Amino acid sequence: DVKVTQSSRYLVKRTGEKVFLECVQDMDHENMFWYRQDPGLGLRLIYFSYDVKMKEKGDIPEGYSVSREKKERFSLILESASTNQTSMYLCASSSPQGGGQPQHFGDGTRLSIL
Amino acid sequence: DAKTTQPPSMDCAEGRAANLPCNHSTISGNEYVYWYRQIHSQGPQYIIHGLKNNETNEMASLIITEDRKSSTLILPHATLRDTAVYYCIVRVAFDGGATNKLIFGTGTLLAVQP
């Protein structure tokens, strides 16, 4: 089974802090994604990566950056955390192989910015 | 915007089959149908996907109509642990662009009753 592991289930930080969210997948997937999920807004794509050191902006990249130094690890960075970044953050990975391979998600990190 | 329509909620008796419908009347020829579910406070869990043919795996069956405008997810013997929000999503196979983000609609809240 695919395993996507996010480093923390719950995290509390203060405004202005630099926050790192880590995600690791064990299926050698090329594609990795960061979403945030908010009530009434569904999932929104922040960044994605289709190869090591490659990154592409999603719909809401402002205030975030990412890092992919190794294939299995994709990090989301909140440069200077703000209260409007309080949310559930979800990491996903997928293979680019044919057949419409699905994205597999981690359990999420519920981040609170005080 | 989500391209699918699902009923907001359904009930099912434990041990009975749960049949969850999804309408995707504007689906394109190269778009797959994916089903995910999300149990409260967890990340979305991939269930099954298909393009044209019916599919079955250890979790569920997916029935796609011949015109591909609708589909049904079948959980053959629902248990209390199947209580979750179920999302039906249509999407093209990954092509390296942000268009491959997953767009979750409001889904169907399936309540399995003892």
Side-chain angles (χ1 to χ4, degrees):
Chain A
D1 284 350
V2 176
K3 185 69 173 177
V4 179
T5 303
Q6 295 185 230
S7 52
S8 305
R9 289 297 307 276
Y10 301 94
L11 206 54
V12 179
K13 296 292 183 181
R14 298 205 173 274
T15 55
E17 281 192 69
K18 191 169 187 176
V19 181
F20 294 84
L21 302 183
E22 306 287 344
C23 175
V24 176
Q25 49 94 4
D26 66 356
M27 283 302 292
D28 203 35
H29 284 168
E30 282 80 358
N31 307 323
M32 296 189 75
F33 307 80
W34 275 107
Y35 294 86
R36 62 179 282 178
Q37 185 175 30
D38 300 286
L41 297 176
L43 261 69
R44 292 181 289 170
L45 181 65
I46 305 172
Y47 269 96
F48 69 100
S49 168
Y50 52 89
D51 203 351
V52 176
K53 296 192 185 294
M54 303 299 290
K55 61 184 179 184
E56 294 284 344
K57 294 180 180 179
D59 294 323
I60 51 165
E62 296 78 20
Y64 303 94
S65 63
V66 290
S67 172
R68 189 146 181 223
E69 297 296 317
K70 293 185 178 181
K71 191 175 186 179
E72 68 271 17
R73 187 180 297 271
F74 192 35
S75 303
L76 179 70
I77 304 153
L78 285 66
E79 298 291 344
S80 178
S82 64
T83 54
N84 62 12
Q85 292 178 309
T86 291
S87 185
M88 168 77 114
Y89 289 87
L90 292 161
C91 175
S93 73
S94 71
S95 166
Q97 300 299 319
Q101 294 303 311
Q103 294 180 24
H104 295 272
F105 287 83
D107 278 336
T109 296
R110 191 167 293 279
L111 175 64
S112 296
I113 307 297
L114 304 179
Chain B
D1 291 337
K3 297 193 239 183
T4 62
T5 304
Q6 300 176 253
S9 64
M10 293 182 64
D11 288 343
C12 178
E14 190 176 18
R16 304 296 293 268
N19 295 275
L20 292 91
C22 180
N23 181 288
H24 32 79
S25 58
T26 61
I27 192 170
S28 301
N30 61 348
E31 286 183 315
Y32 289 78
V33 179
Y34 297 83
W35 283 85
Y36 286 78
R37 72 181 182 184
Q38 190 169 22
I39 297 168
H40 183 62
S41 295
Q42 295 183 19
Q45 179 187 21
Y46 164 74
I47 302 172
I48 199 167
H49 77 286
L51 183 62
K52 296 180 183 178
N53 300 321
N54 298 337
E55 302 288 344
T56 295
N57 63 20
E58 65 279 3
M59 289 182 68
S61 295
L62 173 60
I63 309 298
I64 302 174
T65 58
E66 193 169 341
D67 63 7
R68 302 186 70 237
K69 293 185 177 182
S70 66
S71 62
T72 301
L73 177 74
I74 301 172
L75 307 178
H77 305 287
T79 71
L80 298 178
R81 286 180 294 182
D82 292 322
T83 292
V85 178
Y86 288 76
Y87 297 98
C88 168
I89 300 160
V90 296
R91 197 199 60 146
V92 297
F94 189 78
D95 66 0
T99 54
N100 288 273
K101 62 189 175 186
L102 289 176
I103 300 176
F104 282 55
T106 52
T108 296
L109 173 59
L110 175 68
V112 180
Q113 309 289 346

